[in-house]
Each structure stands twice: as C-alpha cells, then as structure tokens.
C-alpha cells in the first residue's frame, strides 16, 4: 500500500517534470498584426506569458506585405518581454514559399535571442506545403533548422514519406472532432506511432466556427467541452509540444 502510494507520488512528480521540459505555443496570424505597434505586440506577449505560453508560432503567407514590418516589431517586443517566436510558413494561404526566401527569413532571424531554439537549432514549422517537402533538404542544410512541419493533408505516415528524413518531428492540424462526436486521440496516436520516438506537436483548440463565403467556408464544429477534454488528452499523451490553434485567427473563430 505504502509502496503504491509512493510510486503514485513519484510518477506524478516525474510527470510534472516532463511537462516543465515541454513547451506550449500559440498559432499567431501575422497578417492580423498589420496595424500593430510594438506596444500591441508587447501586450499580446504579456497575456501569452501570463497564460504560460512559451512562444508564438508566427504564421505567414508568402508575399504578405505585413510580414516584414511585423517581424521587425515582433522581435523587438519579444526581446523587451523575454518572449519567444518561431516561423510557421503558410504554404496554403498564397501558395508555396520559394526556397531562397525561406532561407533568407531563417538566416535573418534564426539567431535572434528571441527566436525559439530546440536542441540548439532554430525551430521551424509550417502550415501545409507537402509538395515543397524536398526544398527542406537544402533549407535544413543551409540554416541548420529543427523542422516540424504540419503536413496534415497527408496524415502522419505519408508526411514522413514525403521527403524521407526531412521532418525532425511533426505537427498535426487535427484539433477538432467530426460532427456530433467528442474529440478523441486516434489521430494523435497515429502520429506518435509513426514518429516512433521523434517528437510530436499536438494541436489544442477551443472550437472552430467560420462563415467566409469568399473562401467557400461555412461550418461550426462541436466545441462544447473541447478545451477541457483536449488538455486532459495532452496531459495523458505528454507530447513534446502543444500548439494552441489559435491566438488570433478571427476568421475561423479559434
Ligand atoms: C488596418 O487598418 C486599415 C485602415 O483602418 C484597415 O482597413 C485594415 O482592415 C486593418 N487591418 C487589420 C488586419 O486589422
């Protein structure tokens, strides 16, 4: 009995240590920071820090005029606040990023003291872009980045096969349940199985409602107690990272 209690306490303690070593990010739509001042960035970062979020995943569509001015302000603010940032290149918004542009962005900011590093390498993610998977052989060679893409349109197995050896881990976009169902962990489990020890970035989202006829999108997904259920699932699965979807994607209400 005593031994069982001790073991229980020990596993709780080990569990807590594991959680501290891991990190939580929030997906941030840079296009929505078009009119931000450094003060706006600082306030957003302050709220994120109060919520124990470690970094913003800066989602950027290729060619968006907001990207470059916003990055300058965001990194300035992050250095003031002691907050962290990393790039999440969006290959769906305006199509594929040219390889050379990705390399330039990582070269410019990857060694900034506010850029999030993992195992000593600048951490880089994506939203989609599996058909550009081979680009990352050179991008990784030139920048030394740690690469955790979201190629969810393929699923875990095909994402790992898109350019073998290129992903260091994977991010899944499957944060919502279908129809009236409650959220489960089948997709997460498939990622963790195929990753076979490589790190997994698990998505957590409160809900999803969108009505944007211009993008032919109009749906609401079951989010009644999704936030609560999903964090329990994260505590159970203990992924290396959690990415909250999202911080400010107003068009999808998540
Ligand atoms: C920025 O301000 C302009 C002018 O008021 C406005 O049209 C635009 O929608 C704003 N952008 C964002 C992302 O809020």
């Amino acid at each position: 009995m005593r031994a069982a209690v001790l073991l229980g306490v020990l596993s709780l303690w080990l569990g807590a240590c594991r959680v501290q070593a891991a990190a939580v990010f929030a997906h941030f739509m840079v296009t929505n920071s078009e009119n931000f001042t450094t003060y706006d960035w600082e306030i957003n970062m302050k709220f994120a820090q109060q919520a124990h979020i470690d970094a913003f995943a800066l989602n950027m569509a290729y060619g968006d005029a907001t990207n470059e001015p916003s990055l300058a302000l965001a990194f300035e603010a992050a250095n003031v606040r002691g907050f962290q940032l990393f790039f999440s290149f969006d290959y769906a918004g305006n199509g594929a990023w040219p390889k050379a542009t990705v390399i330039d962005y990582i070269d410019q900011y990857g060694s900034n003291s506010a850029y999030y590093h993992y195992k000593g390498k600048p951490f880089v993610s994506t939203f989609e872009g599996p058909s550009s998977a081979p680009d990352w052989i050179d991008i990784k060679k030139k920048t030394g980045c740690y690469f955790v893409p979201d190629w969810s349109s393929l699923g875990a197995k095909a994402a790992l096969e898109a350019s073998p050896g290129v992903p260091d881990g994977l991010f899944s976009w499957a944060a919502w349940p279908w129809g009236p169902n409650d959220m489960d962990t089948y997709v997460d489990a498939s990622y963790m199985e195929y990753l076979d020890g490589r790190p997994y970035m698990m998505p957590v989202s409160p809900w999803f409602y969108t009505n944007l006829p211009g993008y032919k999108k109009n749906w609401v997904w079951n989010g009644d107690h999704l936030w609560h259920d999903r964090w329990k699932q994260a505590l159970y699965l203990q992924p290396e990272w959690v990415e909250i979807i999202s911080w400010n994607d107003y068009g999808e209400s998540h």
Side-chain angles (χ1 to χ4, degrees):
M1 183 63 196
R2 266 211 41 219
V5 170
L6 266 176
L7 267 178
V9 169
L10 186 67
S11 67
L12 269 176
W13 179 76
L14 287 172
C17 287
R18 181 68 184 70
V19 168
Q20 277 165 11
V24 175
F25 310 129
H27 199 78
F28 189 107
M29 304 299 286
V30 171
T31 198
N32 287 336
S33 66
E34 184 183 2
N35 300 319
F36 270 30
T37 60
T38 35
Y39 176 77
D40 296 312
W41 278 107
E42 282 186 41
I43 290 290
N44 276 262
M45 290 169 186
K46 181 180 164 192
F47 288 146
Q49 286 170 313
Q50 284 170 350
H52 303 279
I53 289 168
D54 299 288
F56 284 148
L58 296 176
N59 175 288
M60 295 178 287
Y62 174 62
D64 187 329
T66 300
N67 294 342
E68 284 172 34
S70 272
L71 287 184
L73 300 183
F75 276 91
E76 189 186 319
N79 275 293
V80 170
R81 294 248 16 129
F83 191 60
Q84 300 207 284
L85 305 167
F86 64 86
F87 295 152
S88 177
F89 293 97
D90 187 328
Y91 283 74
N94 283 339
W97 280 79
K99 190 164 76 173
T101 314
V102 171
I103 293 169
D104 282 350
Y105 272 58
I106 302 171
D107 277 350
Q108 199 183 339
Y109 285 103
S111 57
N112 190 293
S113 55
Y115 198 99
Y116 178 76
H117 282 66
Y118 184 76
K119 299 203 161 145
K121 299 174 170 182
F123 187 86
V124 178
S125 187
T126 72
F127 176 71
E128 286 304 329
S131 49
S132 300
D135 285 8
W136 289 87
I137 297 168
D138 276 354
I139 299 170
K140 286 181 67 177
K141 217 178 277 168
K142 297 227 164 78
T143 64
C145 69
Y146 196 93
F147 185 48
V148 181
D150 154 43
W151 290 334
S152 285
S153 55
L154 299 182
K157 184 169 184 283
L160 289 169
E161 287 165 355
S163 185
V166 159
D168 296 302
L170 286 175
F171 173 35
S172 160
W173 196 256
W176 303 275
W178 289 102
N181 300 330
D182 285 334
M183 189 63 189
D184 59 42
T185 53
Y186 287 114
V187 175
D188 306 294
S190 113
Y191 271 83
M192 291 176 103
E193 187 183 331
Y194 285 115
L195 281 164
D196 193 23
R198 281 166 290 186
Y200 175 52
M201 184 143 73
M202 179 175 174
V204 171
S205 182
W207 66 352
F208 195 148
Y209 163 69
T210 185
N211 185 0
L212 294 170
Y215 293 90
K216 298 198 168 75
K217 294 197 294 193
N218 185 8
W219 64 76
V220 58
W221 288 342
N222 174 12
D224 292 0
H225 35 78
L226 179 58
W227 186 245
H228 176 79
D229 291 352
R230 199 62 182 146
W231 278 108
K232 283 206 304 202
Q233 293 169 0
L235 289 172
Y236 177 75
L237 290 177
Q238 300 279 319
E240 186 69 6
W241 310 284
V242 165
E243 186 165 318
I244 297 167
I245 309 173
S246 68
W247 183 261
N248 65 341
D249 197 343
Y250 308 120
E252 298 188 344
S253 309
H254 58 54

